[in-house]
Amino acid sequence: MNALRSARLKPIAAALFAASLAPLATPAHAVTADATPPGYNANCNCYRNVAYGTTTWYEPTTRKYAKQVMDIWMPANITRAEGAPIVYYGHPNGVGNYIAMDTAPGSLWSRLVKPLTDRGYIVVSYEFRHPVVNYVAGNPVPRYDIQKAINFFTNNYASTLVADPANSFIAGQSRGAGLGLLTALTGAFTGSTKVQGIWTYQAQTSFNCNEMAKTYVIQSDRDAFLSQCVQVDGAGSSLQSVSPSSPPVVTRYERAFHKVLVPASEVDVHYPDFGWQLCKRYGVQGLSAQCSPVENVSDADAWIGMADYFDQHVQPAM
């Protein structure tokens, strides 16, 4: 392998796993005294830093300590008798779960939170560990934080906040997309929680190095790829987890799909064929119409259409 190719391969291991409301005087939703989340902020009609667990860890991507917390954004009104559908959102690497209430058109709040709460959704944004970046040898692989957050919300706050766990949706970008997708496909959920749809941007669909090498990399480059890839057994694979009961998914990427095996240096953290291959797995299960891979989507357009898509998959009460 020439020097240029070798130099391009060095970042692979890190790259693969590193990716206006008026103030309200009182909450705009019914609450009870015994199961109301702490941290309510009337200015955003949201709850901040609600603990769903007790784990604290050093997060190398932000160089800060992080906690198992979530923010809960409420709609102004809940009109469905069954309660509000819920969207669980996972952030990308390098940032935290906190979303500033910024009314500028390009802000994440304006592009993601407001379109959903305007439609009557509750939006839950959580902090969580990455099964590779935050793995500590000798400890269980930390891949279940999102499942824990969802179950905690369902068990402790869904009733009080008039939420409908049977209409749960998962969204996320990069780190949050890959782990949210894996949770949606493999999660052991409590209560009536059922994931009805998934919307991801830049999602990784496998954390298994051998699987990625065989699925995406030309044979002559596979040894080089494996030498750089961080293998953590038990980290999980969405590709291996697709089943006939998998929920519908939209998976979007900022570049064009390749649809062929490529050199190892091309398979970075946001490699677009992650999503294309996921939809091929859906097709094997007879679910081609349930998986939509979308290429050449800019960050500014990542969430356009998500509220409409979720609306199409909200299920009536049984």
Side-chain angles (χ1 to χ4, degrees):
M1 180 175 298
N2 61 38
L4 176 60
R5 172 67 59 80
S6 178
R8 293 179 68 191
L9 285 173
K10 290 181 180 178
I12 288 178
L16 279 172
F17 301 116
S20 154
L21 292 182
L24 303 174
T26 58
H29 48 275
V31 297
T32 60
D34 59 348
T36 304
Y40 182 73
N41 185 327
N43 290 320
C44 60
N45 194 22
C46 69
Y47 299 85
R48 294 289 196 186
N49 291 316
V50 179
Y52 69 84
T54 59
T55 300
T56 299
W57 67 95
Y58 180 75
E59 181 55 62
T61 60
T62 60
R63 295 188 174 92
K64 297 179 180 179
Y65 283 93
K67 299 179 180 180
Q68 290 177 318
V69 296
M70 56 188 176
D71 291 346
I72 305 168
W73 298 81
M74 297 299 300
N77 295 289
I78 296 174
T79 58
R80 297 176 71 253
E82 301 80 20
I86 310 155
V87 175
Y88 295 98
Y89 168 74
H91 62 78
N93 266 357
V95 298
N97 70 295
Y98 180 89
I99 300 174
M101 188 182 165
D102 181 353
T103 59
S107 73
L108 187 59
W109 180 83
S110 295
R111 292 184 295 120
L112 188 145
V113 176
K114 188 176 187 298
L116 291 168
T117 55
D118 281 354
R119 299 279 186 97
Y121 290 83
I122 293 171
V123 178
V124 178
S125 172
Y126 33 60
E127 192 56 79
F128 55 96
R129 289 169 292 175
H130 191 291
V132 176
V133 170
N134 300 120
Y135 175 67
V136 177
N139 292 335
V141 178
R143 56 167 281 200
Y144 297 104
D145 283 2
I146 291 176
Q147 174 183 287
K148 183 175 183 178
I150 292 172
N151 287 339
F152 186 90
F153 179 88
T154 297
N155 294 335
N156 292 276
Y157 301 131
S159 178
T160 297
L161 298 182
V162 198
D164 180 12
N167 277 302
S168 293
F169 298 86
I170 289 182
Q173 180 174 351
S174 188
R175 168 193 191 131
L179 297 178
L181 174 64
L182 183 62
T183 301
L185 296 178
T186 66
F189 299 117
T190 59
S192 60
T193 295
K194 183 173 177 57
V195 177
Q196 302 290 358
I198 312 162
W199 186 284
T200 68
Y201 184 57
Q202 302 171 325
Q204 295 171 336
T205 54
S206 177
F207 300 106
N208 183 292
C209 294
N210 290 319
E211 179 179 48
M212 286 194 292
K214 293 178 181 178
T215 305
Y216 305 111
V217 180
I218 57 176
Q219 188 168 1
S220 60
D221 266 15
R222 288 175 186 170
D223 287 343
F225 177 88
L226 291 171
S227 71
Q228 300 294 323
C229 187
V230 179
Q231 178 66 43
V232 176
D233 294 334
S237 167
S238 291
L239 295 180
Q240 295 178 21
S241 303
V242 178
S243 73
S245 61
S246 293
V249 58
V250 170
T251 181
R252 295 179 145 200
Y253 296 84
E254 76 275 26
R255 288 170 288 160
F257 300 129
H258 291 75
K259 301 183 181 180
V260 294
L261 298 178
V262 298
S265 57
E266 298 297 321
V267 184
D268 60 13
V269 67
H270 296 153
Y271 184 57
D273 279 23
F274 287 155
W276 181 71
Q277 285 286 351
L278 177 74
C279 289
K280 286 185 64 177
R281 304 295 176 96
Y282 265 71
V284 169
Q285 298 293 337
L287 302 175
S288 294
Q290 294 283 79
C291 187
S292 301
V294 187
E295 58 190 342
N296 295 320
V297 178
S298 69
D299 183 77
D301 295 334
W303 314 111
I304 292 177
M306 180 172 65
D308 290 333
Y309 182 75
F310 288 165
D311 279 351
Q312 294 169 12
H313 292 90
V314 170
Q315 300 299 306
M318 299 298 293

